[in-house]
Amino acid sequence: MKNIIITIDGPAGSGKGEIAKYLSNKWSLRHLDSGIIYRRIAHKLLKNGVSFDDKPNILRILKKEKNLSFRKNKILRKEKISVWASRIAIHKYVRDYVNKFQREFVYKNLRNTGFVIDGRDIGSVVFKEADLKLYIEVNEVNRAKRRYKQLIDAGEKSIYPKILEEIKLRDIKDKCRKNSPLIVPNGAVKIDNNGELKKALSKINRLVTKLS
Ligand code: C5P
């Protein structure tokens, strides 16, 4: 599918990434995971010993970075990176940088491919003009259980109550931040992903069919 933008927003651990990957394969769309960009920046700051609120040094690092990759990397999924990514994501100057980067990337390539992009502000701020906006809903206990399993499967040590606590904290950070808080975007279709993924996917496929 060419020339199509589908956005997927939702809280941490709601399955946005899995849904985006599925749609990418099913409908031949390019998948962009916007969280990867925040994670890459967080990783760079940690590597360079720059604090998450050291504006001059963060800006210096961002200025040097012309081509951040959307490629996935196991290191970027580490819990420490998750926490730092949500810490830097509160800054307007970081969000402006990431949003501009994403828009330029998508509009440079939209003639050759369509996109499915997932994140926390994709339909509400970054691509308000998207052809289809989805908002994925899953309660925090189900999300914490899934996240715990992901970490264990990835070979990380993990304690379930700690994961639940971190999910709650990240929700507060994402929903209460001043800049681009996580909200249901205007015109978005809410998708309940508490139950069987198959059910959520068939609802989404019906919506995508209407676009083509
Ligand atoms: O989606 P993921 O968990 O990889 O994102 C890491 C962090 O980056 C999130 O907790 C969130 O704070 C931030 N983020 C964001 N806006 C996006 C994508 C991610 O604020 N569009």
Tab-separated table of all heavy atoms in Angstrom, residues 8-13 16 33-39 76-77 81-90 95 98-99 102 117-122 126 147 170-171 173-174 177 179-180 182, ligand 1:
chain	number	residue	atom	x	y	z
A	8	ILE	N	-0.581	4.355	15.373
A	8	ILE	CA	-1.017	3.518	16.496
A	8	ILE	C	-0.453	4.128	17.775
A	8	ILE	O	0.762	4.183	17.965
A	8	ILE	CB	-0.511	2.068	16.365
A	8	ILE	CG1	-0.886	1.489	14.987
A	8	ILE	CG2	-1.077	1.213	17.477
A	8	ILE	CD1	-0.504	0.030	14.806
A	9	ASP	N	-1.332	4.596	18.632
A	9	ASP	CA	-0.902	5.117	19.928
A	9	ASP	C	-1.441	4.221	21.042
A	9	ASP	O	-2.407	3.477	20.847
A	9	ASP	CB	-1.424	6.554	20.127
A	9	ASP	CG	-0.677	7.547	19.237
A	9	ASP	OD1	0.538	7.694	19.425
A	9	ASP	OD2	-1.311	8.142	18.348
A	10	GLY	N	-0.820	4.341	22.195
A	10	GLY	CA	-1.269	3.545	23.336
A	10	GLY	C	-0.188	3.519	24.388
A	10	GLY	O	0.962	3.868	24.105
A	11	PRO	N	-0.546	3.117	25.599
A	11	PRO	CA	0.450	3.114	26.686
A	11	PRO	C	1.498	2.014	26.545
A	11	PRO	O	1.358	1.139	25.693
A	11	PRO	CB	-0.409	2.880	27.932
A	11	PRO	CG	-1.630	2.204	27.443
A	11	PRO	CD	-1.870	2.680	26.047
A	12	ALA	N	2.517	2.079	27.391
A	12	ALA	CA	3.596	1.081	27.392
A	12	ALA	C	3.020	-0.317	27.562
A	12	ALA	O	2.180	-0.542	28.433
A	12	ALA	CB	4.562	1.379	28.537
A	13	GLY	N	3.462	-1.238	26.716
A	13	GLY	CA	3.069	-2.642	26.870
A	13	GLY	C	1.672	-2.966	26.369
A	13	GLY	O	1.124	-4.017	26.700
A	16	LYS	N	1.162	-2.312	20.890
A	16	LYS	CA	1.194	-1.471	19.685
A	16	LYS	C	2.202	-2.011	18.664
A	16	LYS	O	1.919	-2.075	17.491
A	16	LYS	CB	1.664	-0.038	19.985
A	16	LYS	CG	0.965	0.697	21.044
A	16	LYS	CD	1.545	2.095	21.184
A	16	LYS	CE	2.964	2.169	21.712
A	16	LYS	NZ	3.139	1.862	23.132
A	33	ASP	N	8.833	2.510	14.481
A	33	ASP	CA	8.576	2.471	15.921
A	33	ASP	C	9.200	3.745	16.495
A	33	ASP	O	10.419	3.830	16.634
A	33	ASP	CB	9.238	1.198	16.466
A	33	ASP	CG	9.238	1.140	17.972
A	33	ASP	OD1	8.785	2.115	18.621
A	33	ASP	OD2	9.704	0.121	18.514
A	34	SER	N	8.352	4.732	16.831
A	34	SER	CA	8.929	6.019	17.251
A	34	SER	C	9.660	5.905	18.588
A	34	SER	O	10.583	6.667	18.857
A	34	SER	CB	7.847	7.096	17.315
A	34	SER	OG	6.903	6.759	18.273
A	35	GLY	N	9.264	4.940	19.417
A	35	GLY	CA	9.934	4.743	20.705
A	35	GLY	C	11.411	4.433	20.533
A	35	GLY	O	12.242	4.787	21.373
A	36	ILE	N	11.746	3.776	19.403
A	36	ILE	CA	13.146	3.416	19.143
A	36	ILE	C	14.016	4.676	19.116
A	36	ILE	O	15.152	4.683	19.588
A	36	ILE	CB	13.276	2.671	17.784
A	36	ILE	CG1	12.733	1.255	17.913
A	36	ILE	CG2	14.715	2.654	17.250
A	36	ILE	CD1	13.659	0.289	18.622
A	37	ILE	N	13.475	5.747	18.555
A	37	ILE	CA	14.268	6.981	18.437
A	37	ILE	C	14.542	7.554	19.840
A	37	ILE	O	15.663	7.948	20.150
A	37	ILE	CB	13.549	8.006	17.529
A	37	ILE	CG1	13.330	7.404	16.139
A	37	ILE	CG2	14.335	9.308	17.428
A	37	ILE	CD1	14.603	7.035	15.400
A	38	TYR	N	13.495	7.567	20.687
A	38	TYR	CA	13.714	8.039	22.066
A	38	TYR	C	14.712	7.129	22.791
A	38	TYR	O	15.558	7.581	23.561
A	38	TYR	CB	12.385	8.100	22.836
A	38	TYR	CG	11.496	9.223	22.362
A	38	TYR	CD1	10.497	9.000	21.426
A	38	TYR	CD2	11.694	10.529	22.814
A	38	TYR	CE1	9.694	10.036	20.964
A	38	TYR	CE2	10.901	11.579	22.354
A	38	TYR	CZ	9.900	11.323	21.434
A	38	TYR	OH	9.125	12.354	20.976
A	39	ARG	N	14.589	5.826	22.531
A	39	ARG	CA	15.507	4.875	23.172
A	39	ARG	C	16.942	5.081	22.682
A	39	ARG	O	17.892	5.004	23.443
A	39	ARG	CB	15.059	3.429	22.888
A	39	ARG	CG	13.834	3.029	23.683
A	39	ARG	CD	13.298	1.670	23.272
A	39	ARG	NE	12.087	1.378	24.004
A	39	ARG	CZ	12.047	0.797	25.199
A	39	ARG	NH1	13.171	0.404	25.776
A	39	ARG	NH2	10.901	0.586	25.819
A	76	LEU	N	18.528	-1.788	23.289
A	76	LEU	CA	17.598	-0.667	23.475
A	76	LEU	C	16.351	-1.054	24.272
A	76	LEU	O	15.593	-0.198	24.700
A	76	LEU	CB	17.186	-0.078	22.120
A	76	LEU	CG	18.302	0.467	21.247
A	76	LEU	CD1	17.754	0.947	19.913
A	76	LEU	CD2	19.027	1.610	21.945
A	77	ARG	N	16.100	-2.345	24.441
A	77	ARG	CA	14.906	-2.789	25.186
A	77	ARG	C	15.171	-2.896	26.685
A	77	ARG	O	14.264	-3.193	27.447
A	77	ARG	CB	14.398	-4.161	24.691
A	77	ARG	CG	14.117	-4.329	23.233
A	77	ARG	CD	13.191	-3.356	22.599
A	77	ARG	NE	11.940	-3.074	23.281
A	77	ARG	CZ	11.072	-2.159	22.872
A	77	ARG	NH1	11.318	-1.443	21.789
A	77	ARG	NH2	9.964	-1.946	23.525
A	81	ILE	N	17.096	1.730	29.823
A	81	ILE	CA	16.872	2.573	28.640
A	81	ILE	C	15.399	2.999	28.580
A	81	ILE	O	15.089	4.145	28.240
A	81	ILE	CB	17.262	1.819	27.348
A	81	ILE	CG1	18.702	1.325	27.408
A	81	ILE	CG2	17.017	2.684	26.108
A	81	ILE	CD1	19.760	2.237	26.898
A	82	SER	N	14.486	2.088	28.944
A	82	SER	CA	13.049	2.433	28.958
A	82	SER	C	12.805	3.625	29.875
A	82	SER	O	12.103	4.568	29.534
A	82	SER	CB	12.196	1.268	29.479
A	82	SER	OG	12.383	0.120	28.720
A	83	VAL	N	13.407	3.551	31.063
A	83	VAL	CA	13.194	4.599	32.062
A	83	VAL	C	13.774	5.925	31.561
A	83	VAL	O	13.120	6.971	31.615
A	83	VAL	CB	13.818	4.183	33.417
A	83	VAL	CG1	13.783	5.315	34.411
A	83	VAL	CG2	13.095	2.954	33.980
A	84	TRP	N	14.993	5.868	31.006
A	84	TRP	CA	15.624	7.110	30.516
A	84	TRP	C	14.886	7.679	29.312
A	84	TRP	O	14.764	8.888	29.163
A	84	TRP	CB	17.104	6.849	30.181
A	84	TRP	CG	17.965	7.128	31.364
A	84	TRP	CD1	17.879	6.530	32.582
A	84	TRP	CD2	19.008	8.105	31.461
A	84	TRP	NE1	18.816	7.055	33.428
A	84	TRP	CE2	19.522	8.023	32.765
A	84	TRP	CE3	19.559	9.009	30.568
A	84	TRP	CZ2	20.549	8.832	33.207
A	84	TRP	CZ3	20.591	9.823	31.000
A	84	TRP	CH2	21.078	9.734	32.317
A	85	ALA	N	14.386	6.779	28.443
A	85	ALA	CA	13.653	7.259	27.256
A	85	ALA	C	12.446	8.075	27.707
A	85	ALA	O	12.181	9.158	27.176
A	85	ALA	CB	13.224	6.079	26.390
A	86	SER	N	11.717	7.579	28.715
A	86	SER	CA	10.530	8.342	29.134
A	86	SER	C	10.935	9.600	29.901
A	86	SER	O	10.192	10.573	29.945
A	86	SER	CB	9.543	7.471	29.907
A	86	SER	OG	10.053	7.119	31.142
A	87	ARG	N	12.139	9.617	30.473
A	87	ARG	CA	12.615	10.840	31.152
A	87	ARG	C	12.946	11.933	30.144
A	87	ARG	O	12.608	13.096	30.344
A	87	ARG	CB	13.865	10.540	31.975
A	87	ARG	CG	13.516	9.904	33.297
A	87	ARG	CD	14.772	9.637	34.076
A	87	ARG	NE	14.453	9.099	35.386
A	87	ARG	CZ	15.332	8.526	36.179
A	87	ARG	NH1	16.590	8.420	35.801
A	87	ARG	NH2	14.972	8.070	37.345
A	88	ILE	N	13.609	11.551	29.051
A	88	ILE	CA	13.982	12.602	28.071
A	88	ILE	C	12.787	13.007	27.213
A	88	ILE	O	12.754	14.109	26.672
A	88	ILE	CB	15.167	12.188	27.158
A	88	ILE	CG1	14.840	10.893	26.409
A	88	ILE	CG2	16.454	12.056	27.947
A	88	ILE	CD1	15.730	10.662	25.212
A	89	ALA	N	11.777	12.089	27.140
A	89	ALA	CA	10.613	12.368	26.272
A	89	ALA	C	9.735	13.492	26.824
A	89	ALA	O	8.833	13.947	26.146
A	89	ALA	CB	9.781	11.099	26.085
A	90	ILE	N	10.024	13.951	28.050
A	90	ILE	CA	9.218	15.050	28.591
A	90	ILE	C	9.688	16.406	28.036
A	90	ILE	O	8.980	17.389	28.132
A	90	ILE	CB	9.214	15.103	30.145
A	90	ILE	CG1	10.616	15.388	30.674
A	90	ILE	CG2	8.652	13.831	30.743
A	90	ILE	CD1	10.617	15.712	32.177
A	95	ARG	N	11.342	16.294	21.890
A	95	ARG	CA	10.162	15.886	21.099
A	95	ARG	C	10.161	16.595	19.742
A	95	ARG	O	9.857	16.000	18.720
A	95	ARG	CB	8.861	16.178	21.845
A	95	ARG	CG	8.762	15.538	23.212
A	95	ARG	CD	7.316	15.412	23.657
A	95	ARG	NE	6.630	14.394	22.892
A	95	ARG	CZ	6.681	13.099	23.163
A	95	ARG	NH1	7.357	12.655	24.194
A	95	ARG	NH2	6.050	12.235	22.401
A	98	VAL	N	12.621	14.813	17.518
A	98	VAL	CA	12.162	13.479	17.079
A	98	VAL	C	11.011	13.621	16.077
A	98	VAL	O	10.972	12.926	15.050
A	98	VAL	CB	11.733	12.612	18.296
A	98	VAL	CG1	11.150	11.278	17.845
A	98	VAL	CG2	12.917	12.378	19.229
A	99	ASN	N	10.091	14.555	16.338
A	99	ASN	CA	8.931	14.714	15.447
A	99	ASN	C	9.343	15.172	14.053
A	99	ASN	O	8.856	14.673	13.043
A	99	ASN	CB	7.929	15.703	16.049
A	99	ASN	CG	7.323	15.159	17.330
A	99	ASN	OD1	7.552	13.996	17.667
A	99	ASN	ND2	6.558	15.967	18.035
A	102	GLN	N	10.949	12.320	12.189
A	102	GLN	CA	9.974	11.336	11.710
A	102	GLN	C	9.198	11.844	10.498
A	102	GLN	O	8.986	11.125	9.530
A	102	GLN	CB	8.970	11.007	12.814
A	102	GLN	CG	9.584	10.257	13.961
A	102	GLN	CD	8.556	9.941	15.005
A	102	GLN	OE1	8.138	8.809	15.144
A	102	GLN	NE2	8.115	10.937	15.749
A	117	ILE	N	2.939	3.645	11.933
A	117	ILE	CA	3.864	4.244	12.901
A	117	ILE	C	3.247	4.140	14.289
A	117	ILE	O	2.088	4.520	14.489
A	117	ILE	CB	4.110	5.739	12.568
A	117	ILE	CG1	4.467	5.870	11.077
A	117	ILE	CG2	5.204	6.334	13.448
A	117	ILE	CD1	4.078	7.197	10.492
A	118	ASP	N	4.008	3.621	15.236
A	118	ASP	CA	3.445	3.504	16.585
A	118	ASP	C	4.224	4.333	17.590
A	118	ASP	O	5.417	4.599	17.421
A	118	ASP	CB	3.345	2.037	17.026
A	118	ASP	CG	4.683	1.371	17.261
A	118	ASP	OD1	5.378	1.084	16.280
A	118	ASP	OD2	5.028	1.151	18.430
A	119	GLY	N	3.505	4.796	18.619
A	119	GLY	CA	4.136	5.617	19.653
A	119	GLY	C	3.132	6.141	20.661
A	119	GLY	O	2.162	5.468	20.987
A	120	ARG	N	3.404	7.358	21.167
A	120	ARG	CA	2.538	7.921	22.212
A	120	ARG	C	1.831	9.204	21.777
A	120	ARG	O	0.992	9.720	22.480
A	120	ARG	CB	3.360	8.300	23.450
A	120	ARG	CG	4.214	7.220	24.017
A	120	ARG	CD	3.326	6.238	24.754
A	120	ARG	NE	4.089	5.362	25.607
A	120	ARG	CZ	4.947	4.454	25.175
A	120	ARG	NH1	5.170	4.307	23.896
A	120	ARG	NH2	5.585	3.687	26.032
A	121	ASP	N	2.253	9.761	20.651
A	121	ASP	CA	1.713	11.059	20.224
A	121	ASP	C	1.601	11.101	18.715
A	121	ASP	O	1.530	12.155	18.122
A	121	ASP	CB	2.652	12.188	20.671
A	121	ASP	CG	4.049	12.033	20.072
A	121	ASP	OD1	4.351	10.948	19.539
A	121	ASP	OD2	4.827	12.992	20.113
A	122	ILE	N	1.616	9.931	18.089
A	122	ILE	CA	1.757	9.873	16.637
A	122	ILE	C	0.492	10.381	15.938
A	122	ILE	O	0.568	11.169	15.004
A	122	ILE	CB	2.128	8.427	16.193
A	122	ILE	CG1	3.427	8.001	16.878
A	122	ILE	CG2	2.292	8.328	14.687
A	122	ILE	CD1	4.609	8.896	16.589
A	126	VAL	N	2.068	14.181	15.868
A	126	VAL	CA	3.057	14.083	14.781
A	126	VAL	C	2.392	13.939	13.402
A	126	VAL	O	2.751	14.643	12.468
A	126	VAL	CB	4.056	12.920	15.022
A	126	VAL	CG1	5.225	13.010	14.044
A	126	VAL	CG2	4.591	12.944	16.445
A	147	ARG	N	4.856	-7.509	29.749
A	147	ARG	CA	6.206	-6.928	29.791
A	147	ARG	C	7.151	-7.855	30.569
A	147	ARG	O	8.295	-8.065	30.173
A	147	ARG	CB	6.133	-5.550	30.466
A	147	ARG	CG	7.431	-4.822	30.561
A	147	ARG	CD	7.881	-4.288	29.211
A	147	ARG	NE	9.209	-3.707	29.284
A	147	ARG	CZ	10.181	-3.960	28.428
A	147	ARG	NH1	9.992	-4.762	27.406
A	147	ARG	NH2	11.356	-3.380	28.561
A	170	ARG	N	5.508	4.938	34.395
A	170	ARG	CA	5.662	5.392	33.000
A	170	ARG	C	4.338	5.941	32.482
A	170	ARG	O	4.311	6.920	31.742
A	170	ARG	CB	6.156	4.250	32.111
A	170	ARG	CG	7.668	4.089	32.190
A	170	ARG	CD	8.114	2.863	31.471
A	170	ARG	NE	8.090	3.037	30.027
A	170	ARG	CZ	8.234	2.036	29.171
A	170	ARG	NH1	8.384	0.809	29.604
A	170	ARG	NH2	8.236	2.265	27.879
A	171	ASP	N	3.212	5.320	32.890
A	171	ASP	CA	1.889	5.840	32.488
A	171	ASP	C	1.711	7.264	32.996
A	171	ASP	O	1.258	8.144	32.268
A	171	ASP	CB	0.765	4.983	33.087
A	171	ASP	CG	0.492	3.746	32.249
A	171	ASP	OD1	1.190	3.555	31.236
A	171	ASP	OD2	-0.422	2.981	32.612
A	173	LYS	N	4.030	9.397	33.805
A	173	LYS	CA	4.939	10.288	33.061
A	173	LYS	C	4.389	10.592	31.671
A	173	LYS	O	4.392	11.723	31.212
A	173	LYS	CB	6.319	9.637	32.917
A	173	LYS	CG	7.204	9.847	34.090
A	173	LYS	CD	8.679	9.792	33.644
A	173	LYS	CE	9.576	9.910	34.836
A	173	LYS	NZ	9.694	8.666	35.601
A	174	ASP	N	3.909	9.546	30.981
A	174	ASP	CA	3.431	9.725	29.596
A	174	ASP	C	2.117	10.517	29.542
A	174	ASP	O	1.903	11.310	28.638
A	174	ASP	CB	3.240	8.363	28.908
A	174	ASP	CG	4.583	7.698	28.577
A	174	ASP	OD1	5.614	8.403	28.577
A	174	ASP	OD2	4.601	6.483	28.307
A	177	ARG	N	2.639	14.467	31.323
A	177	ARG	CA	3.676	15.427	30.935
A	177	ARG	C	3.021	16.611	30.201
A	177	ARG	O	1.967	16.472	29.562
A	177	ARG	CB	4.749	14.763	30.083
A	177	ARG	CG	4.247	14.332	28.742
A	177	ARG	CD	5.359	13.705	27.924
A	177	ARG	NE	4.770	13.122	26.740
A	177	ARG	CZ	5.059	11.936	26.251
A	177	ARG	NH1	5.945	11.167	26.839
A	177	ARG	NH2	4.478	11.491	25.173
A	179	ASN	N	4.280	18.353	27.654
A	179	ASN	CA	4.432	18.322	26.197
A	179	ASN	C	3.931	17.012	25.601
A	179	ASN	O	4.439	15.955	25.946
A	179	ASN	CB	5.908	18.511	25.822
A	179	ASN	CG	6.448	19.818	26.335
A	179	ASN	OD1	5.870	20.866	26.079
A	179	ASN	ND2	7.517	19.763	27.118
A	180	SER	N	2.956	17.110	24.730
A	180	SER	CA	2.407	15.946	24.024
A	180	SER	C	2.091	14.771	24.945
A	180	SER	O	2.654	13.694	24.767
A	180	SER	CB	3.370	15.460	22.944
A	180	SER	OG	3.800	16.490	22.151
A	182	LEU	N	0.244	11.489	26.469
A	182	LEU	CA	-0.465	10.389	25.809
A	182	LEU	C	-1.968	10.601	25.973
A	182	LEU	O	-2.477	10.638	27.092
A	182	LEU	CB	-0.048	9.059	26.445
A	182	LEU	CG	-0.849	7.835	26.015
A	182	LEU	CD1	-0.609	7.518	24.538
A	182	LEU	CD2	-0.496	6.624	26.864
B	1	C5P	O1	7.333	2.679	22.922
B	1	C5P	P1	8.568	2.570	23.801
B	1	C5P	O2	8.292	1.945	25.125
B	1	C5P	O3	9.701	1.937	23.087
B	1	C5P	O4	8.998	4.085	24.081
B	1	C5P	C1	9.976	4.409	25.038
B	1	C5P	C2	9.574	5.710	25.733
B	1	C5P	O5	9.658	6.778	24.791
B	1	C5P	C3	8.139	5.716	26.240
B	1	C5P	O6	8.032	5.314	27.585
B	1	C5P	C4	7.715	7.146	26.094
B	1	C5P	O7	7.979	7.874	27.274
B	1	C5P	C5	8.598	7.687	24.992
B	1	C5P	N1	7.858	7.850	23.735
B	1	C5P	C6	7.162	9.019	23.570
B	1	C5P	N2	6.528	9.269	22.384
B	1	C5P	C7	6.555	8.368	21.392
B	1	C5P	C8	7.240	7.154	21.569
B	1	C5P	C9	7.873	6.918	22.764
B	1	C5P	O8	7.113	9.854	24.477
B	1	C5P	N3	5.951	8.654	20.236
